[in-house]
């Protein structure tokens, strides 16, 4: 079992290099401060990034903000603030989520400020133009500023945007269009071949059905007048700016210095790499922007002659009182106040352990606190303190070696002469803990974070049952009465339990990094004759305080 979160031997590419894992979140509009709905996406992507680092992959994790949306301009106008000042202030709040949520991203790209972005967006535009896929035409349609998207009348709910519950504007103007219709069959072939994997399957089916129904070309620019002069100018057409989704989707490339050309080292390494067969390019997004990522974006890349993402992982919504969390709808839960009151690990754990792969999830403070108390304080917290306390009480804080001469610690196996072999429950627990990394790998490969945490909880539950079944306190009493065999069995029990907690602590790292560090500090490195620190609580019990509840939700 692993004593620390040391990387396992990584899967290698045919060239013998570690696999590369490039994971991104979507980039949110900055018309208001972040809410819990986007925190879900940030934490999910962070778990995947930390997990692949733990397994020894080379990882790049990128997030950022979509500064160039018309809704940002309108929000700034309502606030009476210059647009750049407005988006700077709110983008800073999104960037602070790194500390608020304990995120490990490697890059944070702002589309209005980052010098890499405009050159990359322009290069992507020109590549699609060179392919003959861009043209101008007059268009009239119903436009939702909140979605930054045109809607057909049959896509509306009683004439309202299904996401924002507002009436779309009738827009009539001449814009640039992208020949999406040209790529219908290529997209269907792409989904069928598995070259672009969409999880969960229900979302893949939605995308396939939409494409099979026929694709229409879509507008990719806006007049400078309607955009209030805000956005990335269209190359060679000063009267137009790029449609916000065009330049926003491009951030996945522009953050890799695509604007410097396809041979830019970061772009070559993470997107176009020579060992691309061993690499993964993963977008983590919400279901409301699936069409843009699974249809528009791959078609744009096909047009530009660029590699495609390998996976699009789609989460559903968080709700409050049954309504989607949304800045526009005014249903907001503040992650900053949540973490100040209840801690980052409690929030990260709820977002990973209780949000299903499919289906919206309603958030309440009671649910957050109950899960933290059950799984963290009463689960791994109680187990860790219990085991370390017994090691101190019965073995002066030193984890015992088994009579066969090995210590049940990092990479130890249950050998033929090991006392563990005589303890079938201990051997079963060792096997369960040793198999934990593979079960987590399988769950996260399927983008099922809840299943991954369920595998962790199963080992914790089995370890607690092992304590109750082996009754270390009774073995200690028998040893004091002169029973040497009881003392030998007690050594095995304490060794198995300590190694199990180390294994759990290592695998908890991607989900609850601070708690995992506390657990690992308590159970030591697994070195021979190492004295463990004095036992202490690694996670406190929480309670909902009515006087603070209203300020959080």
């Amino acid at each position: 079992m692993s004593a620390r979160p040391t990387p396992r031997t990584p899967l290698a590419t045919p060239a013998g290099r570690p696999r590369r894992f490039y994971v991104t979140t979507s980039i949110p509009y900055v018309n208001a401060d972040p809410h819990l709905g986007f925190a879900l996406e940030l934490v999910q992507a962070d778990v995947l990034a930390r997990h692949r680092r733990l397994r020894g992959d080379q990882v790049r994790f990128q997030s950022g903000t979509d500064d160039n949306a018309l809704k940002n301009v309108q929000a700034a106008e309502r606030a009476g603030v210059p647009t750049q000042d407005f988006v700077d202030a709110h983008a800073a709040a999104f960037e602070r989520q790194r500390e608020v949520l304990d995120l490990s991203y490697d890059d944070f790209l702002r589309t209005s400020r980052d010098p890499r972005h405009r050159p990359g967006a322009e290069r992507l535009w020109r590549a699609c133009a060179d392919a003959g896929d861009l043209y101008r035409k007059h268009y009239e349609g119903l436009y939702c500023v909140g979605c930054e998207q045109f809607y057909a009348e049959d896509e509306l709910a009683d004439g309202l945007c299904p996401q924002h519950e507002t009436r779309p504007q009738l827009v009539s103007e001449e814009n640039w269009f992208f020949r999406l219709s040209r790529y219908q069959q290529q997209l269907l072939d792409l989904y069928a071949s598995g070259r672009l994997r969409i999880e969960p399957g229900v979302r893949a089916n939605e995308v396939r059905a939409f494409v099979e129904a026929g694709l229409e070309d879509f507008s990719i620019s806006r007049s400078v007048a309607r955009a209030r002069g805000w956005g990335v100018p269209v190359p060679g057409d000063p009267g137009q700016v790029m449609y916000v989704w065009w330049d926003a989707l491009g951030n996945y490339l522009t953050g890799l210095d695509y604007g410097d050309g396809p041979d830019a080292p970061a772009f070559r390494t993470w997107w176009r790499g020579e060992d691309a067969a061993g690499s993964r390019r993963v977008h983590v997004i919400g279901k409301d922007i699936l069409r843009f990522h699974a249809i528009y974006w791959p078609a744009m890349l096909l047009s530009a002659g660029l590699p495609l993402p390998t996976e699009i992982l789609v989460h559903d919504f968080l709700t409050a009182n049954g309504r989607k969390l949304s800045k526009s709808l005014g249903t907001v839960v503040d992650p900053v106040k949540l973490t100040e009151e209840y801690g980052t690990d409690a929030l990260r754990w709820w977002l990973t352990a209780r949000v299903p792969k499919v289906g919206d999830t309603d958030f309440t403070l009671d649910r957050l606190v109950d899960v933290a108390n059950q799984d963290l304080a009463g689960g791994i917290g109680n187990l860790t303190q219990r085991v370390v306390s017994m090691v101190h009480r019965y073995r002066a804080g030193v984890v015992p070696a088994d009579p066969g001469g090995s210590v049940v610690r990092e990479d130890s196996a249950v050998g033929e002469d090991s006392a563990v072999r005589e303890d079938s429950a201990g051997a079963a627990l060792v096997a369960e803990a040793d198999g934990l990394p593979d079960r987590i790998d399988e769950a996260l490969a399927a983008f099922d974070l809840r299943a991954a945490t369920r595998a962790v909880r199963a080992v914790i539950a089995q370890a607690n049952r092992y304590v109750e079944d082996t009754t270390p306190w009774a073995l200690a009493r028998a040893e004091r009465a002169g029973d040497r065999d009881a003392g030998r069995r007690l050594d095995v029990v304490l060794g198995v339990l300590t190694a199990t907690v180390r294994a759990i602590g290592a695998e908890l790292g991607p989900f609850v990094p601070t708690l995992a560090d506390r657990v690992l500090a308590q159970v030591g490195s697994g070195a021979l004759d190492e004295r463990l620190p004095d036992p202490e609580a690694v996670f406190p019990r929480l309670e909902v305080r009515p006087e603070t509840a209203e300020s959080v939700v």
Side-chain angles (χ1 to χ4, degrees):
M1 278 179 272
S2 177
R4 289 186 178 278
T6 8
R8 304 169 84 201
T9 303
L11 295 174
T13 68
R17 304 184 188 97
R19 283 175 41 148
R20 290 174 179 151
F21 185 80
Y22 176 41
V23 60
T24 68
T25 67
S26 64
I27 53 174
Y29 304 128
V30 289
N31 58 316
D33 284 345
H35 61 68
L36 187 61
F38 189 61
L40 169 65
E41 185 170 309
L42 289 167
V43 169
Q44 288 178 329
D46 186 66
V47 168
L48 298 178
R50 288 178 181 271
H51 172 70
R52 293 321 314 169
R53 291 191 194 105
L54 182 62
R55 296 296 184 256
D57 286 359
Q58 295 178 356
V59 174
R60 179 184 176 89
F61 172 23
Q62 180 174 303
S63 189
T65 55
D66 183 354
D67 298 356
N68 295 329
L70 178 58
K71 66 193 299 181
N72 298 339
V73 177
Q74 294 178 337
E77 290 174 345
R78 288 192 296 271
V81 177
T83 301
Q84 188 67 68
D85 293 347
F86 182 87
V87 299
D88 284 349
H90 287 289
F94 278 90
E95 195 161 6
R96 283 196 297 273
Q97 297 301 295
R98 181 184 187 115
E99 290 72 39
V100 172
L101 299 172
D102 199 359
L103 304 174
S104 64
Y105 57 72
D106 302 289
D107 199 356
F108 188 91
L109 185 145
R110 290 191 49 204
T111 58
S112 73
R113 286 289 193 186
D114 198 302
R116 298 170 295 178
H117 185 65
R118 177 171 171 175
E122 291 173 342
R123 180 177 290 276
L124 181 61
W125 183 283
R126 291 191 180 99
C128 294
D130 290 345
D133 285 331
L134 308 188
Y135 64 95
R136 285 190 67 144
K137 79 167 186 176
H138 183 270
Y139 182 78
E140 184 175 283
L142 297 170
Y143 191 76
C144 173
V145 175
C147 294
E148 297 284 3
Q149 177 182 344
F150 282 100
Y151 279 99
E153 288 190 11
D154 61 4
E155 293 180 300
L156 302 177
D158 296 324
L160 303 179
C161 167
Q163 300 297 331
H164 295 94
E165 301 174 7
T166 56
R167 194 168 300 280
Q169 304 170 359
L170 180 63
V171 172
S172 177
E173 63 185 10
E174 184 171 305
N175 295 327
W176 287 92
F177 275 70
F178 174 77
R179 297 186 194 278
L180 181 65
S181 57
R182 177 180 287 181
Y183 292 94
Q184 178 172 344
Q185 190 56 51
Q186 289 187 58
L187 289 170
L188 291 173
D189 293 343
L190 185 66
Y191 309 142
S193 69
R195 286 178 58 206
L196 176 56
R197 175 174 163 253
I198 302 169
E199 283 286 348
V202 64
R203 303 298 168 218
N205 292 339
E206 288 176 8
V207 169
R208 193 177 299 108
F210 186 89
V211 175
E212 286 173 345
L215 295 177
E216 296 183 357
D217 299 349
F218 70 98
S219 172
I220 58 170
S221 73
R222 303 290 179 260
S223 68
V224 168
R226 188 157 73 88
R228 318 289 208 274
W230 185 253
V232 178
V234 169
D237 190 342
Q240 297 272 306
V241 296
M242 293 182 191
Y243 172 39
V244 64
W245 271 105
W246 182 279
D247 91 81
L249 288 165
N251 95 92
Y252 305 130
L253 307 183
T254 64
L256 304 176
D257 301 322
Y258 174 64
D260 293 340
D263 290 325
F267 182 75
R268 190 174 65 245
T269 297
W270 295 104
W271 198 269
R272 203 209 69 183
E274 289 80 3
D275 59 340
S279 299
R280 294 169 64 188
R281 297 174 294 279
V282 180
H283 300 321
V284 179
I285 63 165
K287 65 181 179 181
D288 54 334
I289 56 175
L290 177 59
R291 184 184 307 179
F292 299 101
H293 284 79
I295 300 174
Y296 294 3
W297 178 230
M300 291 159 59
L301 293 169
L302 288 168
S303 173
L306 296 174
L308 304 171
T310 57
E311 295 152 76
I312 298 175
L313 308 180
V314 188
H315 62 81
D316 282 4
F317 293 150
L318 296 183
T319 60
N321 299 316
R323 298 187 76 201
K324 174 194 171 187
L325 294 180
S326 166
K327 300 187 292 289
S328 302
L329 296 174
T331 49
V332 173
V333 177
D334 185 352
V336 175
K337 292 179 180 177
L338 271 180
T339 56
E340 287 175 350
E341 183 67 23
Y342 301 103
T344 298
D345 281 334
L347 179 56
R348 285 180 64 107
W349 186 254
W350 186 85
L351 291 171
T352 53
R354 289 301 187 269
V355 175
K357 181 176 176 178
V358 177
D360 296 345
T361 305
D362 205 53
F363 173 83
T364 68
L365 288 178
D366 286 335
R367 289 172 181 167
L368 173 75
V369 168
D370 288 347
V371 168
N373 286 339
Q374 178 181 335
D375 295 348
L376 304 184
I380 185 59
N382 178 65
L383 177 65
T384 302
Q385 190 167 16
R386 194 179 195 187
V387 169
V388 175
S389 295
M390 288 191 294
V391 172
H392 275 271
R393 184 178 302 121
Y394 305 137
R395 291 298 181 263
V398 178
V399 181
D402 72 40
S406 67
V407 178
V408 184
R409 62 186 193 278
E410 183 174 2
D411 297 327
S412 67
V414 181
E416 289 297 320
D417 298 325
S418 171
V420 180
R421 190 170 182 272
E422 301 173 17
D423 174 8
S424 59
L429 180 56
V430 167
E432 186 75 8
D434 279 343
L436 181 59
D438 288 338
R439 289 191 294 278
I440 291 176
D441 288 353
E442 182 179 356
L444 293 186
F447 192 49
D448 194 340
L449 281 72
R450 189 169 67 164
T453 62
R454 194 160 51 237
V456 176
R457 296 201 307 273
V459 179
I460 294 170
Q462 186 168 341
N464 277 318
R465 287 195 300 272
Y466 179 68
V467 173
E468 298 303 319
D469 291 344
T470 56
T471 59
W473 48 91
L475 293 174
R477 285 197 303 270
E479 181 184 31
R480 288 194 297 271
D483 186 342
R484 296 178 62 185
D485 186 60
R488 184 176 69 94
R489 295 201 305 274
L490 179 60
D491 285 345
V492 171
V493 169
L494 296 178
V496 166
L497 286 170
T498 307
T500 298
V501 174
R502 286 193 199 106
I504 295 168
E507 293 302 319
L508 277 174
F511 303 94
V512 280
T514 301
L515 174 57
D517 286 346
R518 290 175 181 159
V519 169
L520 291 169
Q522 278 283 285
V523 292
S525 65
L528 189 63
D529 296 329
E530 176 186 19
R531 188 180 188 278
L532 300 186
D534 291 339
E536 61 181 40
V538 294
F539 193 89
R541 290 192 65 81
L542 304 177
E543 61 180 26
V544 176
R545 295 194 296 167
E547 63 270 24
T548 62
E550 287 188 8
S551 68
V552 173
V553 180

